[in-house]
Amino acid sequence: MKFTLSWLKSHLETDASLDAICAKLTAIGLEVEGVTDPAAIFKPFRVAHVLKADPHPNADKLRVCLVDTGEGEPLQVVCGAPNARAGMKGVFAPVGSTVPGIDLTLKAATIRGVASNGMLCSEREMGLSDEHNGIIDLPADAPLGAPFASVMGLDDPVIEIKLTPNRGDCLGVRGIARDLAAAGIGSLKPLTVVATTGMYDSPIKVRRDFPADAQDACALFVGRLIRGVKNGPSPAWLQRRLKSIGLRPISALVDVTNFFTYDLGRPLHVFDAAKVKGDIVARLARPGEKLLALDGREYTLDETMTVIADDNGPEGIGGVMGGEHSGCSEATTDVFVECAWFDPVRTAQTGRKLGIHSDARHRFERGVDPAFLHDGMELATRMILELCGGSASIVEVAGDEPDWSRRVAYRPSRLLGLVGFDLPVARQAELLRALGFGVSEADERLQIDVPSWRPDIDGEADIVEEVARLAGFDLIPATPLPVDRAVPLPAVNAAQRRARLARRGLAARGLVEAVTYSFIRRADAALFGGGKDDLQLVNPISADLDAMRPSILPGLLQAAKRNMDRGFGDVALFELGPQYADQTPEGQSLVASGIRRGMSGPRHWREKPRNVDAYDAKADAIAALAAAGAPVENLMVMDGAPDWYHPGRSGTLRLGPKVVLAHFGELHPRVLKTMDARGPLVGFEVFLDRIPAARAKSGRAKPALKLVEYPAVERDFAFLVDAGLAVDSLLKAVRGAEKALIARVSVFDVFAGNNIEPGKKSVAISVRLEPQDRTLTDAEIEAVGKKVVDAAAKACGAVLRA
Amino acid sequence: MTDIVAQAQASERAIAQAEKPEALEQARLDALGKKGWLSAALKELGGLEPEARKQRAAQLNEIKDRLSGALDAKRGALEDAAINARLAAEKQDMTLPLLDGAENLGRIHPIGQVIDEITEIFAAMGFTIAEGPDIEDDFHNFTALNIPPAHPARQMQDTFYLPPREDGEQMVLRTHTSPVQIRTMRSAQPPHRIVVPGRTYRSDYDMTHTPMFHQIEGLVIDRNIHMGHLKGVLVEFCKAFFETDKVKMRFRPSYFPFTEPSAEVDINCSREGGVLRVGEGDDWLEILGSGMVHRKVLEHCGVDPNEWQGFAWGMGIDRIAMLKYGIPDLRAFFDADLRWLKHYGFVPLDIPTLGQGVAR
């Protein structure tokens, strides 16, 4: 909502400064978004007196002027305007100033051999119009040296406020003035409404024709014919007012409607009565009816929309926009004025469906004062008669004023109770009355009658807000929250704690955390088990972001590609966030997912980089699980990773055969090809929600640690096994060979080829024995070794290599 | 006699001239070895008269001690020389550059870091963290929050919709974290004191708007809780988060369907030289929307508004991260540009705690 200071002051009697007014507007909830002082760009330009205008010695069309700027010695200025003459008053732009219309900063110049110090300006050069036939010719009494902006009336500051949608009453300047007056900035000037007595019955009658369930679509319609008007340009004051807030003056009749829209928040419409056929009916549109609206576009209407129609069909869309056909023009002599009330919800829906954002819609959908139709009509009548002449008919009325009355029983103690500061009851009542509320005392409470222009008020809390905002939210104290324990309990639950630990754990492995969108391209989603209809956005912001992600991996893959395109081929990214299996809350799960791409590190003299591989992804997944507190010592590594992984270079991490805690592996080459990504590329997905809750313990104490003094022994074995054997099964067999003694089994070499027979591989393991109660003898160690070899042979067909 | 003295002198010369441990050992064997001249001389003692034997023995022992001392000293010197030579040979260039450890390569995204910071601060004020789903139903995202069916916020241009289900319900991507207020109040009895960080979605894209962003919701429901407590909580939060006691706060009346009264909250800042500094200067910067929970919202949750009341607020996590850490463009948060993440991210061991400060 835009208005100027002088417009505001036409409703508000005040001496307050612009700054004080703006500060108060923001303080009472009418947030000032900006103040523009149109005079600012005109600041260097002042009224000057042309003392002499002699012909230029070297140019026929130029004159050499002597200009008195009101300051210092007169200056010599070369000017090409045909109307430059001695004795005239003009607008002088000094050297160093920027001429707004041509965006030129002036320098002292020599024009055809004659020095020129500044410029006498045309309207175009001032940016006021396209007029460039001569320089601005100011009246003779324009004070020498006075600021050009004030002489031209261009110094009225424009204030723009951001209104919250509940404050339709402030979409008229008068509503803003009322709020300011109530808040102590001056007083609201009275609004005098003088009714015009109709001289005759309007030949155009008004009817409402709505089904029972749509009676409120246009509850009240007030109309009047004014005959014999002369429509033309509106007077300068009205044009200036409209222009000051960016509206284009059109003609007196149209300008009047725009003026009241902004002045009083009262949209009006004017029909050229000569073009209206028959009576005017407010009704719902018939499906498929068309209207060419005032914006020059044709709209197809439906049965949910209100139209103002005549025998020709719709002439306007109720509360939204009038029609081109019956609009007023310079030729209009009889005008029919509409002042109606349209239902906010229906108006909003109509406007939205048709895509029309008009000043009328903006106001009707926020609620136009339902008790101001007759006064609005009278004020408009008076102005039309003043500007255009003519004679007015008796007012035509269809329908009734909608019931807007509301009474709130208000306990003044609620002020303290809700906002934490108090005001005397009398002061509260005074503030409310200043806003137009009726206040009467009843028992402990105040009976508050809500004014017709405040449909947003319907309870005690609303009344508290009105009182508090006028008194000032600065009065709200900063009160500490009550504390019930000095050291609070933890803020996060077990699941949140797991997630936080997994995040730090993955970052500590050198992975960089990314946050990518929850929606991805559908084709990508389909490659990762998603892309189903129920998770397609109906209205995505772009076609690349239209499917809820079934996995975090595709987003990370795209991110890796972007980084590769920027020349960063080694990528290690992870993300901890949601993925979606369906629309339900249970279908959303929290996943820690990551990818590595390229080499394990940069080329380096000491650590040779290698291609990242599935084992890196496995290590990342296990690290995330370990950090999150999963029992990683019990993890089983199994096949069964989903088909976006390389089937031979991937796996799952499980607790028992059924609970899959993670997938990891090299990404499937077909997925990479489809997504146009180049490997080596490995990834993992850790399902944090599936980690079982830690068993409830009676305390934090760790189990007792038994430290034994007997020496540990390590023995190495090299086995020949089938090339396809999962080494895990060999390790399991070896561990089980002598559980009481074998503390650790590790693999230190795996190889095939060379002198290993085809179809076999060599696996070298180290077995650590930790006796609990004695030092092992050579014979005992020998016996354990035999058990190891036997177990390996039995479980895996392993043969000890010579 | 002269024979012994000359031999001792020869041995001393041999020890002094030995340049290697082997030469030194040879000198030792020549003198003190089983077949050395000193051992031979000692064997001859038995044949002497007692008086001469005593005198001769003293002389030989004195020579033996002298030679032993010289041998030890020379052996030490040779060992020192050897170790010095080895050290010189083993010299390495300590200026060679090394790789960063993984713990310095990894990064925490500013959003994750700021959520941890916020959690620390609100934990100290007795809040717990609550969460809810991103895909919400109409009731939790709108209706229960007193947003009527025709409200502009429900329209396509703001809200992302999923296809209608068979029962007619059309799910949305939550437009704010406020539905978690509803879920919390409907699942447990008051009092409540929660903060809700999470992903939120609106159909918007420019320098300061992305279709996905992060909010943190706060909710306190108790007896006798008023807007003063809201101000108290937010003042403490801003002081701790922005690490300045100078931060000034301004409450402006505003409007949200789910709160009444409602306020937008600004903090002071300076924009001198195009650099935004929070807690300095006289400019204001909006950081959040807030208010007293609307009684209709409480009623939707089965909470008696005559017994319980409280406040709620919603704040952009990305936005306050941008403010605190001087990050210019919101869109970059979600682009996963490694250069950006390395620059604006946090090393994993930089864990915010109140004890050591919430930020480094």
Side-chain angles (χ1 to χ4, degrees), chain A residues 249-577:
Chain A
I250 294 167
S251 69
L253 288 173
V254 175
D255 293 355
V256 167
T257 65
N258 285 331
F259 174 74
F260 283 111
T261 298
Y262 278 86
D263 190 55
L264 299 173
R266 177 58 260 186
L268 302 164
H269 185 65
V270 286
F271 298 92
D272 186 334
K275 294 172 187 163
V276 173
K277 187 176 176 196
D279 291 339
I280 283 181
V281 186
R283 60 168 169 84
L284 295 182
R286 306 197 173 100
E289 274 188 319
K290 289 184 168 33
L291 177 77
L292 181 64
L294 279 170
D295 60 3
R297 293 211 182 103
E298 187 177 74
Y299 295 97
T300 303
L301 311 174
D302 69 33
E303 70 287 357
T304 66
M305 302 171 180
T306 306
V307 293
I308 308 302
D310 64 6
D311 290 356
N312 291 324
E315 296 289 358
I317 308 162
V320 178
M321 192 171 277
E324 179 73 34
H325 168 255
S326 56
C328 286
S329 68
E330 304 266 320
T332 301
T333 56
D334 297 351
V335 60
F336 190 84
V337 185
E338 164 202 318
C339 184
W341 192 87
F342 297 100
D343 174 52
V345 171
R346 192 179 294 271
T347 308
Q349 284 167 345
T350 301
R352 206 174 293 130
K353 269 191 211 169
L354 299 177
I356 302 177
H357 297 270
S358 65
D359 288 337
R361 170 193 164 188
H362 195 68
R363 284 161 180 76
F364 279 113
E365 70 185 13
R366 284 163 178 76
V368 164
D369 185 350
F372 194 71
L373 275 67
H374 289 278
D375 283 355
M377 173 59 83
E378 294 301 345
L379 288 163
T381 304
R382 190 128 299 249
M383 191 177 282
I384 290 172
L385 293 177
E386 266 172 33
L387 303 185
C388 308
S391 78
S393 77
I394 295 168
V395 170
E396 280 286 314
V397 180
D400 298 303
E401 194 171 292
D403 180 17
W404 50 266
S405 65
R406 266 187 325 286
R407 173 168 279 201
V408 178
Y410 172 62
R411 293 163 290 171
S413 62
R414 290 305 290 149
L415 180 65
L416 180 63
L418 274 177
V419 299
F421 72 85
D422 206 1
L423 290 177
V425 177
R427 175 68 181 144
Q428 295 193 40
E430 181 188 13
L431 289 170
L432 290 167
R433 285 196 183 101
L435 284 175
F437 288 79
V439 182
S440 53
E441 283 182 47
D443 305 328
E444 301 285 283
R445 304 182 175 211
L446 296 178
Q447 295 295 348
I448 309 288
D449 290 309
V450 180
S452 57
W453 58 84
R454 293 299 304 271
D456 57 312
I457 305 287
D458 69 351
E460 280 188 301
D462 296 303
I463 303 294
V464 166
E465 181 171 72
E466 293 304 301
V467 172
R469 73 182 178 89
L470 292 184
F473 274 18
D474 289 346
L475 294 178
I476 298 171
T479 314
L481 265 192
V483 180
D484 55 358
R485 49 197 309 155
V487 178
L489 292 172
V492 297
N493 63 27
Q496 292 156 351
R497 186 178 148 79
R498 280 200 297 263
R500 290 160 63 102
L501 291 168
R503 168 182 285 127
R504 300 274 164 189
L506 287 170
R509 287 183 55 76
L511 291 155
V512 174
E513 189 188 14
V515 177
T516 65
Y517 290 134
S518 301
F519 20 62
I520 57 174
R521 182 198 314 213
R522 186 175 198 171
D524 291 354
L527 290 172
F528 289 80
K532 284 172 286 187
D533 287 342
D534 63 335
L535 288 174
Q536 273 302 105
L537 292 180
V538 172
N539 54 334
I541 197 152
S542 90
D544 280 353
L545 301 171
D546 62 345
M548 298 308 289
R549 63 184 186 189
S551 160
I552 297 173
L553 286 175
L556 292 178
L557 236 137
Q558 294 289 4
K561 273 173 59 186
R562 289 195 298 274
N563 281 296
M564 286 164 67
D565 291 345
R566 295 180 193 115
F568 295 86
D570 296 341
V571 178
L573 286 171
F574 80 101
E575 179 168 354
L576 199 146

Side-chain angles (χ1 to χ4, degrees), chain A residues 26-31 162 164-166 345 348-349 352 357 365-366 411 414 416-420 456 458 460-465 468-469 473-484 486 488-493 496 500 503-504 506-519 533-541 545 548-549 559 562-563 566 568 570-578 580 582-585 588 601-607, chain B residues 96-99 102-103 105-109 111-113 115-116 119-120 122-135 150-152 155-157 159-165 169-171 173 183 193 199 201-205 210-212 214 220 224-233 235 250-255 260-264 286 292 294-296 305-306 309 311 331 333-339 341-342 346-352:
Chain A
T26 295
I28 60 178
L30 309 178
E31 186 188 356
K162 190 167 113 190
T164 53
N166 59 325
V345 171
Q349 284 167 345
R352 206 174 293 130
H357 297 270
E365 70 185 13
R366 284 163 178 76
R411 293 163 290 171
R414 290 305 290 149
L416 180 63
L418 274 177
V419 299
D456 57 312
D458 69 351
E460 280 188 301
D462 296 303
I463 303 294
V464 166
E465 181 171 72
R469 73 182 178 89
F473 274 18
D474 289 346
L475 294 178
I476 298 171
T479 314
L481 265 192
V483 180
D484 55 358
L489 292 172
V492 297
N493 63 27
Q496 292 156 351
R500 290 160 63 102
R503 168 182 285 127
R504 300 274 164 189
L506 287 170
R509 287 183 55 76
L511 291 155
V512 174
E513 189 188 14
V515 177
T516 65
Y517 290 134
S518 301
F519 20 62
D533 287 342
D534 63 335
L535 288 174
Q536 273 302 105
L537 292 180
V538 172
N539 54 334
I541 197 152
L545 301 171
M548 298 308 289
R549 63 184 186 189
R562 289 195 298 274
N563 281 296
R566 295 180 193 115
F568 295 86
D570 296 341
V571 178
L573 286 171
F574 80 101
E575 179 168 354
L576 199 146
Y580 311 86
D582 58 43
Q583 293 188 357
T584 66
Q588 176 176 335
R603 291 178 67 200
H604 191 256
W605 61 273
R606 186 159 175 256
E607 292 166 57
Chain B
L96 276 171
L98 297 178
L99 291 174
E103 72 284 0
L105 288 173
R107 289 290 184 280
I108 299 291
H109 194 284
I111 291 172
Q113 185 79 4
I115 289 177
D116 284 355
T119 303
E120 278 298 299
F122 284 110
M125 290 191 273
F127 287 77
T128 55
I129 309 292
E131 289 168 313
D134 296 8
I135 299 175
H151 194 278
Q155 298 317 311
M156 282 275 192
Q157 63 262 35
T159 307
F160 288 114
Y161 282 89
L162 288 167
R165 294 195 312 225
E169 172 84 47
Q170 188 167 17
M171 304 294 276
L173 299 191
R183 291 182 176 275
R193 199 180 282 200
R199 295 181 174 215
Y201 307 86
R202 286 181 207 171
S203 192
D204 225 339
Y205 191 76
T210 46
M212 180 183 93
H214 294 76
V220 173
N224 306 320
I225 289 290
H226 54 66
M227 270 179 109
H229 296 113
L230 168 63
K231 203 177 215 175
V233 166
V235 166
R250 178 172 84 169
F251 273 49
R252 272 185 295 106
S254 189
Y255 169 79
E260 189 73 44
S262 305
E264 281 185 330
E286 182 195 326
M292 297 298 290
H294 201 292
R295 58 186 294 133
K296 284 185 185 160
N306 296 316
Q309 67 179 34
F311 57 79
R331 291 170 296 197
F333 275 68
F334 309 111
D335 192 46
D337 185 331
L338 282 168
R339 297 165 299 177
L341 293 168
K342 290 267 176 191
F346 296 80
V347 293
L349 290 178
D350 182 0
I351 302 172

Side-chain angles (χ1 to χ4, degrees), chain B residues 15 24 28 32 65-79:
Chain B
I15 289 168
L24 189 63
R28 185 187 70 82
L32 304 180
D65 287 349
R66 203 165 72 229
L67 290 179
S68 295
L71 276 167
D72 285 350
K74 184 67 184 184
R75 194 178 294 121
L78 283 182
E79 277 174 11

